[in-house]
Amino acid sequence: MSHKMHFHVLTLFPEMVAQGLSESILGRAAKKGCIELETVNIRDYTENKHRKVDDYPYGGGAGMLMQAQPVYDACMAVKERIAERRRGMREAAGTKEHAQPRPAAEGQDTFSAGNPVRVIYVTPQGEIFSQRMAQELAQEEDLIFLCGHYEGIDERVLEEIVTDHVSIGDYVLTGGELPAMVMIDAVSRMVPGVLKNEESAQTESFQDGLLEYPQYTRPEVWHGIPVPSVLLSGDHAKVEQWRLEQSRERTRTRRPGLYEAYSRKDRALGWLSKDRLSHMDMLEVIRRGQAEVIRAEESGVLLYDRPSGAWMISASDEDMGERLLSEIPREEKNLLFAVHQSFLRDSIARRFHRTLVNECFQAVYTRKLPPSCPDGFAVRPLTEGDADAVYAAYHAVHSREYVRERIAAGAMFGIDADGRLAAFAGMHDEGSMGMLEVLPDHRRKGMGETLEAWLIAWMLEKGWVPFCQIFDGNAPSLALQKKLGLKLASGKLYWIS
Ligand code: ADE
């Protein structure tokens, strides 16, 4: 499921951006149709007859500021074009809307379907750009970059249009064009098809938290220095081992902070793997790169999962449990926990006064190939128009907002019957399969089985281990897991919110 990524850059220097990104790998990617770059000259949108876009700051001070009007109009024009393209695509695909199209919500301007487009203001005052952010942004279909110049931009337009403030580092450049180009480069190489060998996006520096190992090419001896002999041995396993050691050593000496995070992750994976089935939720959020390992000890692990905001904990004794819990900031409002021992549940009730608990069993699909399932049902991704129907049928634990977010993330799928949604399922934000619901008139026909088998195949394709969490007492779900070949973990899991 590859998509084309559209970059839109609002700038006073469109040639600089267009030229900078037209060569080499990104030039090739644009020709191939993996990415598309639109540069927009903010000056084209000024209402000033002298084409002026800047003025003096109120209150005095050095330099000039970019005015709100041309920036706003340029941005709206881009959003309108994006909306039009998306409408065209939907019509071409013949996508059915299952509910009345909603009127455009305030601030969401022309978008009646798809995600609101992110507008990134490149500024030294933003969050520092990282590989993780590049990966996250690569999931979007469109990104708008706003490049500032002079001393900045009128705050009012920033407040109105900007969704993300991002910096490329703690230094000040003369304008936002270079930072925007840096980000577009880093995001593009995460887009499927941009790099020739898809693997290289995955294995290079940072992806697994280590710097890249040293590389050598011909000649075999240069300036009297031979290539390390292991690389000539032809023994792949040995080469891999050597490279990993080199990566580790290089990271340890050059980037001690990065190395510390890597070894925490390594220790956490080691400890959690002692009971893989019970810990598959924690193992997967680490492997999928969405969680931070806060502590990894000989008898317990504490993770923070970014997408769900959940603190995930497993500990082999109460002392360790207390130590791990003491790392969690008490003052945070919407604390969410997923813990693997009942003593942790009790400690959390005491420490954080949280008692709303869902007790679950965890089940894991351990095979490499997806299960076979009954033919005859077409599974489709859900769209925004399905949100109300989903929420009406499945609101026990989750908010309407959550349902919308999961659909927008492309993580929900459904089956239609008689022109209406008859069954749906999806992936929760922390990565488990769930939200499976077959509407009463359509039960016992195999729709649930089809949907879950489909989800399993979808996750395997992404290189993930499919797992789900079944509420204590949900016998039909347990039976389905058994039928599809999932293995039940011995330990329980407690969600506390
Ligand atoms: N504009 C000027 N300096 C910048 C930086 N370091 N990052 C992003 N935008 C900028």
PDB file of all heavy atoms in Angstrom, residues 122-124 166-169 171-176 179 183, ligand 1:
ATOM      1  N   VAL A 122       8.819  26.136   9.916  1.00  0.00           N
ATOM      2  CA  VAL A 122      10.205  25.847  10.273  1.00  0.00           C
ATOM      3  C   VAL A 122      10.777  27.062  11.002  1.00  0.00           C
ATOM      4  O   VAL A 122      10.804  28.157  10.472  1.00  0.00           O
ATOM      5  CB  VAL A 122      11.057  25.459   9.045  1.00  0.00           C
ATOM      6  CG1 VAL A 122      10.681  24.083   8.578  1.00  0.00           C
ATOM      7  CG2 VAL A 122      10.865  26.416   7.892  1.00  0.00           C
ATOM      8  N   THR A 123      11.181  26.806  12.225  1.00  0.00           N
ATOM      9  CA  THR A 123      11.611  27.887  13.100  1.00  0.00           C
ATOM     10  C   THR A 123      12.550  27.348  14.169  1.00  0.00           C
ATOM     11  O   THR A 123      12.350  26.219  14.629  1.00  0.00           O
ATOM     12  CB  THR A 123      10.397  28.537  13.799  1.00  0.00           C
ATOM     13  OG1 THR A 123      10.848  29.323  14.900  1.00  0.00           O
ATOM     14  CG2 THR A 123       9.424  27.496  14.324  1.00  0.00           C
ATOM     15  N   PRO A 124      13.572  28.135  14.551  1.00  0.00           N
ATOM     16  CA  PRO A 124      14.445  27.653  15.628  1.00  0.00           C
ATOM     17  C   PRO A 124      13.686  27.480  16.943  1.00  0.00           C
ATOM     18  O   PRO A 124      14.202  26.879  17.877  1.00  0.00           O
ATOM     19  CB  PRO A 124      15.521  28.746  15.743  1.00  0.00           C
ATOM     20  CG  PRO A 124      15.184  29.809  14.752  1.00  0.00           C
ATOM     21  CD  PRO A 124      14.007  29.401  13.963  1.00  0.00           C
ATOM     22  N   VAL A 166       8.712  23.289  13.949  1.00  0.00           N
ATOM     23  CA  VAL A 166       9.840  22.359  13.935  1.00  0.00           C
ATOM     24  C   VAL A 166      11.148  23.080  13.625  1.00  0.00           C
ATOM     25  O   VAL A 166      11.219  23.914  12.718  1.00  0.00           O
ATOM     26  CB  VAL A 166       9.618  21.225  12.895  1.00  0.00           C
ATOM     27  CG1 VAL A 166      10.716  20.187  13.014  1.00  0.00           C
ATOM     28  CG2 VAL A 166       8.259  20.564  13.077  1.00  0.00           C
ATOM     29  N   SER A 167      12.179  22.749  14.383  1.00  0.00           N
ATOM     30  CA  SER A 167      13.525  23.290  14.183  1.00  0.00           C
ATOM     31  C   SER A 167      14.439  22.169  13.724  1.00  0.00           C
ATOM     32  O   SER A 167      14.208  21.001  14.051  1.00  0.00           O
ATOM     33  CB  SER A 167      14.041  23.853  15.513  1.00  0.00           C
ATOM     34  OG  SER A 167      15.437  24.081  15.433  1.00  0.00           O
ATOM     35  N   ILE A 168      15.485  22.486  12.967  1.00  0.00           N
ATOM     36  CA  ILE A 168      16.427  21.415  12.616  1.00  0.00           C
ATOM     37  C   ILE A 168      17.648  21.428  13.525  1.00  0.00           C
ATOM     38  O   ILE A 168      18.570  20.635  13.341  1.00  0.00           O
ATOM     39  CB  ILE A 168      16.857  21.444  11.131  1.00  0.00           C
ATOM     40  CG1 ILE A 168      17.595  22.739  10.783  1.00  0.00           C
ATOM     41  CG2 ILE A 168      15.676  21.219  10.217  1.00  0.00           C
ATOM     42  CD1 ILE A 168      18.399  22.606   9.492  1.00  0.00           C
ATOM     43  N   GLY A 169      17.684  22.265  14.518  1.00  0.00           N
ATOM     44  CA  GLY A 169      18.807  22.236  15.448  1.00  0.00           C
ATOM     45  C   GLY A 169      18.971  23.579  16.121  1.00  0.00           C
ATOM     46  O   GLY A 169      18.390  24.580  15.696  1.00  0.00           O
ATOM     47  N   TYR A 171      20.649  26.300  16.220  1.00  0.00           N
ATOM     48  CA  TYR A 171      21.455  27.329  15.570  1.00  0.00           C
ATOM     49  C   TYR A 171      20.496  28.119  14.701  1.00  0.00           C
ATOM     50  O   TYR A 171      19.412  27.626  14.377  1.00  0.00           O
ATOM     51  CB  TYR A 171      22.576  26.722  14.731  1.00  0.00           C
ATOM     52  CG  TYR A 171      22.161  25.502  13.961  1.00  0.00           C
ATOM     53  CD1 TYR A 171      21.475  25.619  12.753  1.00  0.00           C
ATOM     54  CD2 TYR A 171      22.392  24.225  14.470  1.00  0.00           C
ATOM     55  CE1 TYR A 171      21.056  24.498  12.063  1.00  0.00           C
ATOM     56  CE2 TYR A 171      21.965  23.110  13.789  1.00  0.00           C
ATOM     57  CZ  TYR A 171      21.309  23.249  12.589  1.00  0.00           C
ATOM     58  OH  TYR A 171      20.877  22.128  11.915  1.00  0.00           O
ATOM     59  N   VAL A 172      20.872  29.315  14.325  1.00  0.00           N
ATOM     60  CA  VAL A 172      19.939  30.161  13.580  1.00  0.00           C
ATOM     61  C   VAL A 172      20.424  30.343  12.144  1.00  0.00           C
ATOM     62  O   VAL A 172      21.573  30.728  11.911  1.00  0.00           O
ATOM     63  CB  VAL A 172      19.763  31.526  14.272  1.00  0.00           C
ATOM     64  CG1 VAL A 172      18.777  32.385  13.485  1.00  0.00           C
ATOM     65  CG2 VAL A 172      19.265  31.333  15.692  1.00  0.00           C
ATOM     66  N   LEU A 173      19.554  30.034  11.200  1.00  0.00           N
ATOM     67  CA  LEU A 173      19.854  30.204   9.781  1.00  0.00           C
ATOM     68  C   LEU A 173      19.183  31.484   9.277  1.00  0.00           C
ATOM     69  O   LEU A 173      18.393  32.098   9.986  1.00  0.00           O
ATOM     70  CB  LEU A 173      19.343  28.978   9.014  1.00  0.00           C
ATOM     71  CG  LEU A 173      19.953  27.660   9.485  1.00  0.00           C
ATOM     72  CD1 LEU A 173      19.182  26.475   8.919  1.00  0.00           C
ATOM     73  CD2 LEU A 173      21.417  27.565   9.091  1.00  0.00           C
ATOM     74  N   THR A 174      19.495  31.841   8.033  1.00  0.00           N
ATOM     75  CA  THR A 174      18.963  33.109   7.519  1.00  0.00           C
ATOM     76  C   THR A 174      17.525  32.983   7.030  1.00  0.00           C
ATOM     77  O   THR A 174      16.864  33.980   6.779  1.00  0.00           O
ATOM     78  CB  THR A 174      19.826  33.614   6.343  1.00  0.00           C
ATOM     79  OG1 THR A 174      19.888  32.566   5.363  1.00  0.00           O
ATOM     80  CG2 THR A 174      21.219  33.964   6.812  1.00  0.00           C
ATOM     81  N   GLY A 175      17.035  31.743   6.869  1.00  0.00           N
ATOM     82  CA  GLY A 175      15.663  31.576   6.400  1.00  0.00           C
ATOM     83  C   GLY A 175      15.235  30.132   6.593  1.00  0.00           C
ATOM     84  O   GLY A 175      16.037  29.266   6.948  1.00  0.00           O
ATOM     85  N   GLY A 176      13.981  29.861   6.314  1.00  0.00           N
ATOM     86  CA  GLY A 176      13.438  28.525   6.546  1.00  0.00           C
ATOM     87  C   GLY A 176      13.610  27.564   5.372  1.00  0.00           C
ATOM     88  O   GLY A 176      13.245  26.398   5.478  1.00  0.00           O
ATOM     89  N   PRO A 179      16.145  24.515   6.156  1.00  0.00           N
ATOM     90  CA  PRO A 179      15.512  23.547   7.070  1.00  0.00           C
ATOM     91  C   PRO A 179      14.367  22.777   6.408  1.00  0.00           C
ATOM     92  O   PRO A 179      14.251  21.563   6.596  1.00  0.00           O
ATOM     93  CB  PRO A 179      14.984  24.419   8.211  1.00  0.00           C
ATOM     94  CG  PRO A 179      15.839  25.628   8.195  1.00  0.00           C
ATOM     95  CD  PRO A 179      16.242  25.850   6.774  1.00  0.00           C
ATOM     96  N   MET A 183      14.220  18.681   5.941  1.00  0.00           N
ATOM     97  CA  MET A 183      13.127  17.818   6.402  1.00  0.00           C
ATOM     98  C   MET A 183      12.508  17.041   5.250  1.00  0.00           C
ATOM     99  O   MET A 183      12.188  15.855   5.386  1.00  0.00           O
ATOM    100  CB  MET A 183      12.061  18.660   7.101  1.00  0.00           C
ATOM    101  CG  MET A 183      12.543  19.191   8.444  1.00  0.00           C
ATOM    102  SD  MET A 183      11.222  20.103   9.253  1.00  0.00           S
ATOM    103  CE  MET A 183      12.117  21.533   9.803  1.00  0.00           C
TER     104      MET A 183
HETATM  105  N1  ADE B   1      15.053  29.061  10.623  1.00  0.00           N
HETATM  106  C1  ADE B   1      16.196  29.618  11.004  1.00  0.00           C
HETATM  107  N2  ADE B   1      16.951  28.773  11.694  1.00  0.00           N
HETATM  108  C2  ADE B   1      16.263  27.591  11.760  1.00  0.00           C
HETATM  109  C3  ADE B   1      16.497  26.323  12.340  1.00  0.00           C
HETATM  110  N3  ADE B   1      17.605  26.043  13.006  1.00  0.00           N
HETATM  111  N4  ADE B   1      15.556  25.366  12.193  1.00  0.00           N
HETATM  112  C4  ADE B   1      14.420  25.636  11.528  1.00  0.00           C
HETATM  113  N5  ADE B   1      14.140  26.801  10.978  1.00  0.00           N
HETATM  114  C5  ADE B   1      15.042  27.785  11.066  1.00  0.00           C
END
